[in-house]
Amino acid sequence: MQSPRLVIIGNGMAGARTVEEILARDGDFAVTMFGDEPYGNYNRIMLSNVLAGVEDESGIFLNDLSWYADNGITLHTGTRITRIDRAAKVVYAEDGSATPYDKLIIATGSRAFVPPIPGIHRPGRGYHQGVFAFRTLDDTRAMIRYAREHERAVVIGGGLLGLEAARGLQNHLSHVTLVHAMGHLMNTQLDAEAGATLQRSVEKLGIEVVVGAQTTEILGKHSVTGVKLADGRTIGCDVVVVAAGIRANADVAQASGLPVERGIVVDDQMRVQGEADIYAVGECAQHRGETYGLVAPLWDQAKVLADHITGRDPHAAYHGSRVATKLKVAGVDVASMGLKEPESDDDETLTYAEPRKGVYKSVIIRDGRLVGATLVGDVRKVAFLMQAFDRGLALPEERAELMFDLGGPPAEVSPAEMPGDAQVCNCNGVSKGAICSTVQSGCKTVSGVMDKTRAGKGCGTCKPLVQRIVEWAAGGEVEEDPAASWYVPGVPMPKPELMRAIREHGLKSVSAVFATLVPGGKEDAKSKMGLASLLKMMWGGEYEDERDARFINDRVHANIQRDGTFSVVPQMKGGVTTPAQLKRIAEVAEKHAVPMVKLTGGQRIDLLGVPKEKLPQIWADLDMPSGWAYGKSFRTVKTCVGSEFCRFGVGDSTALGIALEERYQGIEGPGKMKLAVTGCPRNCAEAYVKDLGVVAIDGGKWEIYVGGAAGAHVRKGDLLATVDSADEVITLTGRFLQYYRENANWLERTYAWVPRVGIERLRKVVVDDADGIAADLDAAMAASVAAYRDPWRERAEPATPGQFRTSLPLVLLPQVPVR
C-alpha cells in the first residue's frame, strides 16, 4: 500500500523541524519538500555570526542534503511554489511542475519587511546598489562581499536583527550607524529605560545609534551615498542594511484562497482554518491572533502538528506560547519575558538600574506571580525567572531576591530541580527531558548529546547548563569524548596518527588535509590554525600557505589589541639593543603618533595602538626584523647581563640568549614558547619559570629547565639536564623544543605538557636518546631554522589586496602619550 503523500512548502527551520518530529514518531508518509533557497536546512539565527565572521557558514547547517536522501525525502531546492489547487490537492511550482498531496504543510516562514522608502529600489533593478535586506544566507554573503570594498554603513531598524546586523558589519566596515524609528532600541521587547541602557552599551562598542529617526529617503544616483531622515539630517554611507522587521510570508496561501490575516489562520492543531488536510507552521502561521518570530514557539507548533498528523495524539493542541528570550544582542546580555511594562495599578513593579555598568533589571508581578521581566547587562537570575514565568512558581516574599542573590532562590536551578519539560536550549527548543533521554539511550558524552539534540548549537549560551545536565543524568558516568584526543576538532585523528597520515599522503596544505583525511572533505574553520601550524612545523619551506588558515595576528604579523589596533614589537635579541635602534624606534613612534610606547616583559619595546593600514609603513621605517610577539610560536629570550657586567655572573647569559633567539626566531609551535637565560642561580632573568630556562652555575656548566610558567599559571620548571657548554645547551634545547612541537596537543603549553609526559621520560628521549630519534629531532629543528623568513618583508608585496586594509572597528581607549 502506498504511503500517504505529504508535501511541505518551505525548507526552513520550521518546515524541517516538523519533518524531523514526524520522522521521530515513525510517521508513514512519502515526503516531498520544496525550498526557495538552493541549500539544505540552516539555522537562520546564526546568520549574524556568519556576518560577524565568528562562524563559518558551513557550521550553521542543521540538515545537509544527505539527510534528506537518508530519510527518503524528495527535496526540490531553488523551487518556488506559486499556487495550491485545494480541490485537486496539487501544488504548482514556478517551473510548471505539479505535485499532488494527501496532506500539505505550509512552512514558508517570513520575509524581511522593507519600508517603502523613496530611493530604496531602482526600477527594473530591485534594490538600489548598496542596499541589502538581512534575511537569508545569500543576503549575508552579498553584504559581506559589498561591505569589504566600502567604509560606512547605515542599518535601518533597532530591533534584534538590526542590532546583530550592525555588530556584524563592524567586522567589515570602519563606521556603522544604527537608525531606529522608535524612541528606544528593541522597543517590542524592552521598556524605554532598558532600551536606553542597551543603547549606551551598544554605543560603547563603537556603533553610532540614532533613535526617533524616521528614514525618508535613500540618497545616491548610481549607488548609495547616504540616508535622509525626517528632521532633514543626512547620514553619509555607502551601504544600507534594512532590518526593520519581518512579515509572515503567506503569499502562496493568499493566492490560493486560504484565510490570511497577519499570517495564515490556523486552529489548535495547526490546521488551516476550514481545511481538513492543509496545515501551517512557523512564522507564516497565525494562531489565536498571534504570529511568532522566535524559534521556541515554532518547535512547540511542530510537535503538536507531528503528534496530530501521525496519529500519535490526534487531539494534541497548541495553546500559544509564553514568549521568553535570553540572547546576547550585539555582545550585550539581554533577557525578556512577558510584560515589559505594568498594565494596571495593582501590578507590582521592581526596577533596578546601574547605568554606568550598563545594568538594568525590571520585574512585574501580578497576584503573586511573575508576569514580566527585563534584564540588560546582568542576566544571572534569568534561569529562576524563566522557570517562575513559565510555571507560575510562587515568588519569594523578599522580592529583591528576584534580582539579587540574598540567600533566596539560587541564581541557577540545579539539574535535579528542573522539571523535565524545562527548555534548556532556546535556540533549538531542547528540553531537559530530551537531554536526559539522549543520555539514557546510551549517549554519555557532552558533545555527543549536543550533536544529537542540538542543545547548545545555537547561540551557545546554554552550553554550561547542558554539560551539567548531562553529568547529572549520567550519574557520574560521563564518558570522555573521543574527539578530545583529536589534535584539532575537524580531523578525527590524534596527533601522531595525523602526522603519519600527512607524511604518507604528502599533504602540504590545510585544504589538502581536509580533502584527504576528513570524510566528505568537510573543512572546519576552528581547525585551520592548528593544522597550519602543524604543517609548517612538519614541512618548513615546503609548506603551502593558505591565508584563510591563519588567525588575524598571523595574517598581518602583529598582535591585535582590544581596540582593534595592533602592536608592533621589533626584534631585540636577548633584550640587547643599540642607541641607533632606540633612536630609530623613537623617531618612528613620533612620526606615526604611536599612542603608547611600552617595554614588554620579554625585554623589548612595544609600539601600541597602530592601525592595521599603517603596519607596512612602520615596519619599513623601523627597518628591523619582526620580534614575533604574536602567534603560537617562539617569542623571546630574556637575559640578565651575566658574566660580562654582573659581579655574581658565572656565565655569559647575554651571548647565549642572543644565540638562542637567532636560532629559534619564528619557530612555530602548539603554543607560545618563552625562553630565558640567566648568568647565575640568582635568576634575574626568571629562567626557572619559562617554557625553557637556562641557568649558569659554577664550573662553566649550564642547567636547563623546562615546563616553567609565570603567567596565568605559575610553575617552576623541571631540571632537564646539566651540561658543560653553550653548544650543548643549543643542541638539547633544540631537541626538546622539536619533541614538544611534535608531541604536544594544539594550544598545550609546556607547563601542562611536561608534567603530562613526565620529566623522566623527557630526559630519556632528549638527553639519553632512549628512542633513537635524537638525530631526527635535531635535523627537523635544523630544517625549520633554515626555513626562517622575516614576515615583515612582506610589507612591499601584500599577500592579498586586503591584507593591511582596516576592517575592524576601533574602540576609543584611554590614550597614553608617547614617552
Side-chain angles (χ1 to χ4, degrees):
M1 180 178 173
Q2 188 177 7
S3 300
R5 297 163 298 187
L6 174 62
V7 170
I8 297 98
I9 306 175
N11 185 32
M13 295 176 72
R17 182 59 174 253
T18 304
V19 173
E20 287 180 13
E21 296 287 352
I22 290 171
L23 294 174
R25 290 160 177 75
D26 298 323
D28 181 22
F29 293 101
V31 180
T32 301
M33 298 186 73
F34 292 89
D36 278 359
E37 297 181 70
Y39 316 109
N41 173 240
Y42 63 84
N43 187 343
R44 208 174 296 276
I45 297 169
M46 304 302 286
L47 288 178
S48 57
N49 283 356
V50 174
L51 179 62
V54 300
E55 186 83 36
D56 187 82
E57 60 179 57
S58 62
I60 70 171
F61 278 88
L62 299 171
N63 297 305
D64 58 22
L65 297 178
S66 64
W67 176 82
Y68 298 87
D70 293 343
N71 288 284
I73 299 168
T74 302
L75 174 66
H76 298 280
T77 59
T79 305
R80 181 185 296 270
I81 295 297
T82 57
R83 186 168 66 88
I84 303 165
D85 186 333
R86 294 146 55 204
K89 288 192 170 184
V90 175
V91 297
Y92 293 92
E94 204 169 40
D95 60 8
S97 62
T99 304
Y101 66 84
D102 297 303
K103 299 286 184 182
L104 174 67
I105 297 174
I106 304 172
T108 44
S110 59
R111 61 175 180 271
F113 169 64
V114 180
I117 302 171
I120 205 166
H121 291 99
R122 282 291 182 267
R125 288 170 39 192
Y127 292 126
H128 191 18
Q129 185 171 332
V131 175
F132 300 88
F134 184 27
R135 188 63 188 157
T136 67
L137 182 56
D138 287 343
D139 293 338
T140 309
R141 288 173 172 172
M143 255 190 288
I144 292 172
R145 283 196 301 269
Y146 196 82
R148 283 173 177 161
E149 305 298 327
H150 297 83
E151 296 296 329
R152 297 173 64 90
V154 165
V155 177
I156 299 175
L160 171 62
L161 197 62
L163 284 158
E164 292 290 4
R167 186 62 170 153
L169 284 169
Q170 279 192 299
N171 206 32
H172 307 284
L173 296 145
S174 59
H175 194 274
V176 177
T177 302
L178 185 65
V179 174
H180 190 46
M182 306 306 289
H184 64 271
L185 298 178
M186 290 186 70
N187 55 287
T188 303
Q189 295 88 4
L190 306 180
D191 62 26
E193 192 167 354
T197 303
L198 177 61
Q199 179 177 339
R200 285 191 290 272
S201 298
V202 170
E203 287 172 336
K204 286 179 181 176
L205 298 172
I207 298 171
E208 183 181 355
V209 179
V210 185
V211 296
Q214 187 78 36
T215 306
T216 56
E217 186 177 357
I218 305 296
L219 305 175
K221 184 177 180 181
H222 302 293
S223 61
V224 168
T225 59
V227 300
K228 186 175 182 180
L229 306 182
D231 61 6
R233 283 180 291 174
T234 61
I235 301 174
C237 65
D238 28 42
V239 179
V240 171
V241 174
V242 183
I246 56 174
R247 296 290 184 271
N249 190 5
D251 291 352
V252 67
Q254 196 159 29
S256 306
L258 295 172
V260 175
E261 295 174 0
R262 296 172 58 205
I264 305 168
V265 182
V266 298
D267 63 16
D268 287 354
Q269 282 70 48
M270 308 308 297
R271 191 169 35 209
V272 175
Q273 189 178 65
E275 298 292 331
D277 297 314
I278 303 178
Y279 301 80
V281 66
E283 292 173 335
C284 67
Q286 175 185 316
H287 174 264
R288 300 188 185 180
E290 295 290 336
T291 56
Y292 296 94
L294 298 171
V295 293
L298 313 189
W299 299 162
D300 294 339
Q301 294 174 2
K303 290 174 185 172
V304 168
L305 202 165
D307 277 340
H308 172 78
I309 203 170
T310 60
R312 174 74 65 90
D313 179 4
H315 304 295
Y318 175 68
H319 300 294
S321 297
R322 292 167 66 84
V323 177
T325 57
K326 174 179 175 291
L327 300 162
K328 191 175 279 292
V329 182
V332 182
D333 285 317
V334 176
S336 170
M337 60 202 80
L339 301 180
K340 61 179 181 178
E341 292 173 328
E343 292 181 337
S344 71
D345 294 339
D346 294 333
D347 287 344
E348 286 181 63
T349 303
L350 286 82
T351 303
Y352 174 81
E354 200 170 356
R356 291 184 62 185
K357 289 187 176 179
V359 173
Y360 175 82
K361 304 179 184 184
S362 170
V363 297
I364 303 170
I365 301 164
R366 180 177 298 164
D367 300 329
R369 305 296 179 193
L370 184 70
V371 293
T374 302
L375 305 173
V376 177
D378 179 1
V379 296
R380 284 176 290 180
K381 297 293 290 186
V382 71
F384 173 78
L385 292 174
M386 280 196 168
Q387 292 292 315
F389 176 72
D390 279 344
R391 307 184 182 287
L393 300 180
L395 303 180
E397 287 299 320
E398 191 66 41
R399 299 300 199 213
E401 292 175 359
L402 291 168
M403 293 184 174
F404 310 100
D405 288 323
L406 302 175
E412 293 178 342
V413 179
S414 71
E417 295 170 313
M418 294 176 66
D421 59 350
Q423 189 151 292
V424 176
C425 176
N426 289 327
C427 293
N428 289 311
V430 184
S431 66
K432 171 195 166 184
I435 295 173
C436 293
S437 174
T438 305
V439 174
Q440 287 152 11
S441 68
C443 180
K444 295 186 177 180
T445 67
V446 176
S447 60
V449 171
M450 289 173 62
D451 288 340
K452 285 181 178 293
T453 64
R454 294 183 186 156
K457 294 281 189 177
C459 68
T461 57
C462 65
K463 283 182 182 176
L465 179 57
V466 173
Q467 179 168 355
R468 290 200 301 276
I469 294 173
V470 172
E471 291 170 349
W472 172 78
E477 296 179 359
V478 174
E479 296 173 358
E480 185 179 353
D481 184 353
S485 65
W486 300 350
Y487 185 61
V488 290
V491 184
M493 291 181 179
K495 188 172 185 178
E497 185 182 339
L498 174 61
M499 290 178 66
R500 281 196 299 274
I502 288 171
R503 289 197 179 96
E504 179 183 333
H505 295 284
L507 308 175
K508 298 180 180 177
S509 69
V510 170
S511 59
V513 172
F514 285 123
T516 308
L517 303 182
V518 177
K522 182 181 179 183
E523 295 197 0
D524 175 45
K526 296 182 180 68
S527 303
K528 289 185 176 182
M529 188 176 162
L531 285 175
S533 172
L534 181 67
L535 291 168
K536 196 172 180 182
M537 184 271 290
M538 293 177 64
W539 297 109
E542 296 179 57
Y543 162 66
E544 296 172 7
D545 185 25
E546 292 168 321
R547 307 301 289 192
D548 71 338
R550 296 185 180 201
F551 181 57
I552 178 65
N553 287 4
D554 299 301
R555 292 202 297 271
V556 300
H557 318 303
N559 203 354
I560 193 166
Q561 303 298 315
R562 184 161 65 98
D563 62 348
T565 63
F566 293 83
S567 67
V568 172
V569 181
Q571 189 180 61
M572 226 173 254
K573 295 173 187 173
V576 176
T577 185
T578 66
Q581 286 179 331
L582 288 175
K583 185 178 179 182
R584 196 182 314 152
I585 291 171
E587 289 172 347
V588 170
E590 283 191 339
K591 176 181 177 182
H592 294 281
V594 173
M596 178 183 275
V597 180
K598 189 179 185 308
L599 296 179
T600 73
Q603 297 179 332
R604 298 181 293 190
I605 293 176
D606 196 348
L607 306 180
L608 288 150
V610 178
K612 187 178 173 184
E613 65 272 18
K614 274 194 173 182
L615 290 173
Q617 192 178 350
I618 286 185
W619 296 339
D621 291 343
L622 284 171
D623 196 23
M624 294 171 68
S626 168
W628 290 89
Y630 49 86
K632 309 305 176 192
S633 62
F634 165 83
R635 291 294 181 92
T636 183
V637 180
K638 190 173 184 178
T639 66
C640 65
V641 294
S643 59
E644 195 168 358
F645 288 97
C646 180
R647 289 179 294 125
F648 306 103
V650 295
D652 190 351
S653 57
T654 306
L656 180 55
I658 292 172
L660 290 172
E661 186 154 346
E662 282 182 344
R663 180 167 175 76
Y664 303 129
Q665 59 189 345
I667 295 293
E668 297 269 346
K672 292 181 283 189
M673 291 170 278
K674 296 181 178 180
L675 280 63
V677 182
T678 188
C680 77
R682 287 176 176 79
N683 194 30
C684 291
E686 303 165 341
Y688 294 122
V689 289
K690 296 295 183 183
D691 292 286
L692 200 158
V694 182
V695 180
I697 60 175
D698 277 339
K701 297 178 182 293
W702 298 90
E703 291 179 337
I704 302 173
Y705 290 84
V706 296
H713 298 267
V714 180
R715 182 178 189 271
K716 183 185 177 185
D718 297 326
L719 179 63
L720 178 70
T722 302
V723 298
D724 295 326
S725 68
D727 288 343
E728 288 179 88
V729 170
I730 290 175
T731 299
L732 287 187
T733 53
R735 196 176 297 166
F736 167 80
L737 290 176
Q738 184 62 26
Y739 192 60
Y740 163 66
R741 298 202 305 155
E742 293 187 6
N743 290 278
N745 296 323
W746 175 235
L747 303 181
E748 186 179 29
R749 290 286 297 273
T750 62
Y751 64 75
W753 179 70
V754 168
R756 180 168 69 82
V757 176
I759 190 62
E760 296 297 331
R761 169 67 182 156
L762 288 171
R763 285 196 193 109
K764 287 180 181 177
V765 174
V766 175
V767 183
D768 303 333
D769 193 18
D771 291 2
I773 61 172
D776 291 338
L777 293 173
D778 295 344
M781 177 55 77
S784 292
V785 170
Y788 170 73
R789 299 287 183 275
D790 178 15
W792 285 2
R793 292 288 174 191
E794 199 176 77
R795 60 183 178 257
E797 297 179 0
T800 63
Q803 184 178 4
F804 299 116
R805 188 166 57 224
T806 300
S807 61
L808 289 167
L810 301 185
V811 179
L812 187 62
L813 293 175
Q815 299 296 290
V816 179
V818 177
R819 299 181 187 277

